[in-house]
Amino acid sequence: MIYRETGQYKTTYEADQQLFPILQDRIFVLLVIAFAFGAVPFLASEYLFRAILTPFLILSLAAIGLNILVGYCGQVSLGTGGFMAVGAYAAYNLALRLPDLNLLVVFVLAGLCATVVGVLFGLPSLRIKGFYLAVATLAAQFFLDWAFARIGWFTNYAPSGSVSAPPLVILGWEVVGPVRKYLLVLGIVCVFALVARNLVRGAIGRSWMAMRDMDVAAEVIGIRPLYAKVTAFAVSSFFVGLSGALWAFVYLGAWEPLAFDVNRSFQLLFMVIIGGLGSILGSFLGAAFIVILPLALNQMPGWLGVEMSTALISHIELMVFGALIVFFLIVEPHGLARLWAIGKEKLRLWPFPH
Amino acid sequence: MNIFQQKWMTGLLLAALAVGALAPMLSGVAGFPQWLEVVLGGLMSGVLYSLVALGLVLIFKASGVFNFAQGAMVLFAALTLVRLMEKMPFVVALAIAALVMVAIAWLVERLVLRPLVNQEGIVLFMATLGVAYFIDGIGQIIWGSDIYTLDIGMPKEPKILLEKTFEGGILVSMEDVIAAVIAAALVGALALFFQKTGTGRALRAVADDHQAAQSIGIPLGRIWVIVWSVSGLVALVAGIIWGSKLGVQFSLQLIALKALPVVILGGFTSIPGAILGGLIIGLGEKLSEVYLGPLLGGGIENWFAYVLALVFLLVRPEGLFGEKHIDRV
């Protein structure tokens, strides 16, 4: 009864094309954002901030970036971890070598560095397609892994290759403690989720989707493949690089190249697929699922009251994780976002389904 | 971009590769015997990469699934064999391990592939990633996660060949030679199986066109079980050879990552491509490791194969022998 758009007449183009055309959706989204900014900082425990909320938000941003590339433009990439590393190390070097730079500027510049690298590794996508491209993007992953581990300049010649972030200060506001870190990340993620949402429904987003659905047909109707694919790689790498910088500076604090290895790429791809290809909401849902699942599996033996060695737990975790992934793909190959959409559709008809 | 499509680009690329391969010797950095030693070593390890790549190609050909679990299957097969050999003779253990691999193939078809039929390639790929996690987990729960030595009587001592021709001769690892012979025999057997048996013909029909094959009465499900079984057995052979070389341990499954550039270089759908791709990658990797590595600070073997494959793909986007793809609206 409550979720119904009866009586909401659209009399202007603006009203028809707005971000959330249904009034209830607008209210719901605003409530969620208000809750995240206003209530969560007072309600959540420190563990919740550190272990779940902050990593969830940062990885959502990366998942949005990957979703733009895989879900909207149809170019499968397995090099996401490498691009995150570019963002992280670029931010580190910028903060190190230009100490007066505002931290937010550092983050954005780090994202731009990742953009450049992403475009470079995205150029082969004009020739190489499908799984060939997926494997070819692994070249980016392994090359970047190697570059950050072996080229001393990137890590300022740190002997172990491990570097740490400087203290986080933005215009005199010290970002210390889990609550402030959470608020910083939340603010950035909100802004860029909005940017992404607007990009994908604009002309550029439509050209990406045309590329995804059939590149030859898109070319025939006048979409330049070079422009569409390269912009997709650029925007996606920017998001991924930005999240890499956040991951390193805000979440990890101190890190080494291993934090961004190929498993990170797979993890992000899981998020995108399980959340739903071609959906911004899906990126959030997928990130939440993949962040929470291992933690829940880890706690499981404790809840059940079974004593197990840590090695055995980690093996069972691996097994259950794999099985759940397969199960999820079988039950809903279009991801959590699809489930959400189905739920909303049901709610619109309820309680009179005719 | 049109310049890449010219035929002579392929020739140019191959020529550049040949020059690159010969460069260390011609520039006088290395003498002929040392160079030959590196080349032979590269070719041998290339054959081993081909073994893993072969399993990937078989499955992709017949079912269009990019099977990321191949590495996990190699590890699982080797682990099964090694732990069974503690209790029984080699032949019995081998037979049981082979049966286990067939059982896995059947389970994968039943529980994963059949419900996911007609899904997009990327979804199937992610599903095999899930399978890989599952097999990794269950393998270590059942068989333990230590490093085991697999001894099937392969000679460990390297042999010195051509002593009369060159001063000091060249070192060749006999283990690698035997592995190469086994791999060659396996490829021959597979070629016969594909060309001369009824099942092989059915497999090729499925590879050509799923729907057409199904419409003339080829049971798709059974073909998939067969193909996954065959690639499970290939994984077993690869596991035996790699396991006796490096010891059976968790890192064994990472060779799947080594096999990926081989597959894209050779072409996803071509068995000869897997072999030739393996040789090129093995050769390039060894040469670059020995002669280029010191200049760049070492550790380049992790990415060199991928970059080599990437350059190759720029000229031939379907790999060396992959099916030519004609885009139509």
Side-chain angles (χ1 to χ4, degrees):
Chain A
M1 282 297 254
I2 308 161
Y3 191 77
R4 184 146 312 178
E5 69 238 68
T6 323
Q8 296 179 27
Y9 299 113
K10 313 266 182 344
T11 47
T12 57
Y13 286 118
E14 284 79 31
D16 196 36
Q17 291 179 343
Q18 59 191 327
L19 212 48
F20 297 101
I22 300 174
L23 178 70
Q24 286 90 336
D25 279 349
R26 283 199 293 280
I27 295 173
F28 178 71
V29 169
L30 285 178
L31 278 180
V32 167
I33 292 175
F35 182 74
F37 274 106
V40 171
F42 301 105
L43 296 175
S45 66
E46 196 170 324
Y47 171 79
L48 203 60
F49 281 120
R50 271 191 210 287
I52 296 181
L53 286 174
T54 314
F56 153 66
L57 285 171
I58 301 175
L59 290 178
S60 306
L61 190 61
I64 291 174
L66 186 62
N67 215 336
I68 286 175
L69 192 60
V70 183
Y72 286 99
C73 197
Q75 313 293 311
V76 183
S77 164
L78 294 174
T80 331
F83 298 135
M84 272 180 91
V86 173
Y89 283 95
Y92 170 74
N93 277 296
L94 284 164
L96 181 79
R97 287 162 218 279
L98 303 165
D100 297 331
L101 216 56
N102 186 316
L103 203 59
L104 290 177
V105 179
V106 167
F107 286 153
V108 171
L109 286 179
L112 289 178
C113 288
T115 306
V116 173
V117 178
V119 166
L120 209 62
F121 280 102
L123 282 176
S125 72
L126 294 170
R127 291 277 293 161
I128 310 170
K129 286 170 189 164
F131 284 125
Y132 288 96
L133 179 68
V135 177
T137 53
L138 273 175
Q141 173 74 46
F142 289 118
F143 177 76
L144 292 168
D145 273 357
W146 172 84
F148 293 123
R150 296 289 172 141
I151 300 175
W153 187 82
F154 288 127
T155 53
N156 201 24
Y157 303 98
S160 61
S162 160
V163 295
S164 51
L168 307 174
V169 183
I170 299 169
L171 299 173
W173 185 58
E174 284 178 39
V175 189
V176 284
V179 179
R180 288 186 171 190
K181 284 182 174 175
Y182 162 78
L183 285 175
L184 171 72
V185 173
L186 182 65
I188 294 178
V189 170
C190 279
V191 169
F192 282 98
L194 191 67
V195 170
R197 184 72 204 241
N198 275 310
L199 275 177
V200 295
R201 70 197 189 118
I204 194 170
R206 286 197 300 276
S207 70
W208 293 338
M209 284 185 263
M211 259 308 130
R212 169 194 67 191
D213 292 340
M214 192 170 213
D215 48 359
V216 183
E219 207 177 334
V220 167
I221 60 167
I223 291 166
R224 283 172 293 163
L226 175 76
Y227 181 73
K229 284 183 178 172
V230 166
T231 47
F233 265 96
V235 173
S236 157
S237 313
F238 177 82
F239 276 75
V240 170
L242 179 68
S243 78
L246 287 175
W247 185 257
F249 272 46
V250 180
Y251 177 66
L252 293 175
W255 72 96
E256 49 191 24
L258 261 184
F260 302 104
D261 66 353
V262 67
N263 287 323
R264 176 77 54 211
S265 301
F266 287 137
Q267 192 193 24
L268 284 165
L269 205 54
F270 272 135
M271 287 177 189
V272 172
I273 305 254
I274 290 200
L277 283 169
S279 158
I280 301 291
L281 173 76
S283 312
F284 284 102
L285 296 177
F289 185 81
I290 298 289
V291 167
I292 293 170
L293 183 63
L295 292 174
L297 287 177
N298 213 318
Q299 301 290 323
M300 204 63 95
W303 293 340
L304 298 175
V306 192
E307 288 284 320
M308 274 190 242
S309 67
T310 32
L312 187 61
I313 290 179
S314 74
H315 294 153
I316 291 181
E317 226 180 278
L318 213 58
M319 214 176 96
V320 176
F321 186 73
L324 273 178
I325 296 281
V326 174
F327 174 76
F328 242 90
L329 289 174
I330 290 171
V331 175
E332 186 49 73
H334 299 289
L336 295 167
R338 178 62 171 265
L339 284 180
W340 178 260
I342 292 173
K344 262 173 44 168
E345 205 52 42
K346 287 252 156 75
L347 206 59
R348 274 168 84 184
L349 299 177
W350 184 85
F352 308 114
H354 295 293
Chain B
M1 278 328 231
N2 269 333
I3 183 170
F4 284 128
Q5 273 147 15
Q6 304 293 331
K7 275 233 172 71
W8 53 265
M9 273 302 286
T10 313
L12 199 68
L13 183 76
L14 287 172
L17 279 183
V19 170
L22 290 167
M25 187 183 60
L26 298 176
S27 63
V29 177
F32 183 65
Q34 285 93 333
W35 180 79
L36 194 64
E37 210 172 288
V38 176
V39 166
L40 282 177
L43 290 177
M44 300 290 180
S45 65
V47 172
L48 297 185
Y49 293 152
S50 311
L51 262 184
V52 185
L54 210 57
L56 277 168
V57 168
L58 282 175
I59 289 182
F60 190 82
K61 231 172 124 68
S63 54
V65 178
F66 179 14
N67 177 27
F68 199 80
Q70 191 69 25
M73 278 160 67
V74 169
L75 174 68
F76 189 81
L79 267 178
T80 310
L81 182 71
V82 115
R83 293 312 299 270
L84 286 175
M85 272 173 68
E86 289 170 6
K87 301 193 182 66
M88 50 191 83
F90 172 69
V91 183
V92 184
L94 188 67
I96 295 180
L99 277 179
V100 168
M101 292 322 284
V102 173
I104 288 183
W106 187 76
L107 283 174
V108 166
E109 199 276 328
R110 258 301 147 92
L111 300 176
V112 182
L113 290 183
R114 194 174 292 184
L116 280 176
V117 78
N118 280 337
Q119 288 297 339
E120 281 175 56
I122 172 118
V123 171
L124 290 165
F125 166 63
M126 292 319 272
T128 64
L129 254 173
V131 171
Y133 281 118
F134 187 83
I135 294 180
D136 277 348
I138 203 168
Q140 291 181 77
I141 291 171
I142 300 176
W143 305 119
S145 48
D146 297 324
I147 299 175
Y148 304 98
T149 46
L150 176 60
D151 186 17
I152 50 165
M154 297 257 259
K156 296 277 177 196
E157 294 295 309
K159 229 182 187 137
I160 298 174
L161 292 180
L162 299 171
E163 254 179 305
K164 290 188 188 109
T165 333
F166 308 116
E167 200 180 327
I170 49 176
L171 275 177
V172 174
S173 152
M174 284 316 282
E175 202 179 12
D176 285 350
V177 174
I178 293 179
V181 171
I182 293 177
L186 193 66
V187 172
L190 280 176
L192 277 181
F193 174 66
F194 266 90
Q195 300 297 334
K196 299 287 173 193
T197 66
T199 319
R201 207 172 304 136
L203 283 176
R204 277 185 293 145
V206 172
D208 265 358
D209 190 334
H210 283 191
Q211 279 183 349
Q214 217 170 6
S215 70
I216 54 165
I218 295 172
L220 213 52
R222 199 189 302 160
I223 293 295
W224 281 352
V225 173
I226 291 173
V227 147
W228 277 72
S229 307
V230 170
S231 87
L233 297 179
V234 173
L236 179 61
V237 175
I240 293 172
I241 295 172
W242 279 97
S244 79
K245 217 173 137 75
L246 305 171
V248 178
Q249 52 181 319
F250 189 68
S251 66
L252 207 58
Q253 59 138 337
L254 294 180
I255 55 168
L257 288 177
K258 291 272 182 199
L260 291 182
V262 172
V263 177
I264 58 169
L265 200 153
F268 257 122
T269 45
S270 160
I271 291 178
I275 308 298
L276 199 65
L279 293 179
I280 293 177
I281 292 283
L283 190 61
E285 204 174 81
K286 260 292 190 301
L287 282 168
S288 68
E289 194 182 326
V290 174
Y291 297 113
L292 209 59
L295 301 177
L296 291 172
I300 65 169
E301 66 271 12
N302 277 337
W303 58 266
F304 186 82
Y306 280 94
V307 173
L308 190 66
L310 184 66
V311 171
F312 232 95
L313 287 188
L314 280 180
V315 180
R316 294 184 74 95
E318 276 92 26
L320 269 180
F321 299 111
E323 276 165 34
K324 280 277 167 294
H325 195 76
I326 299 167
D327 284 323
R328 287 194 183 88
V329 176

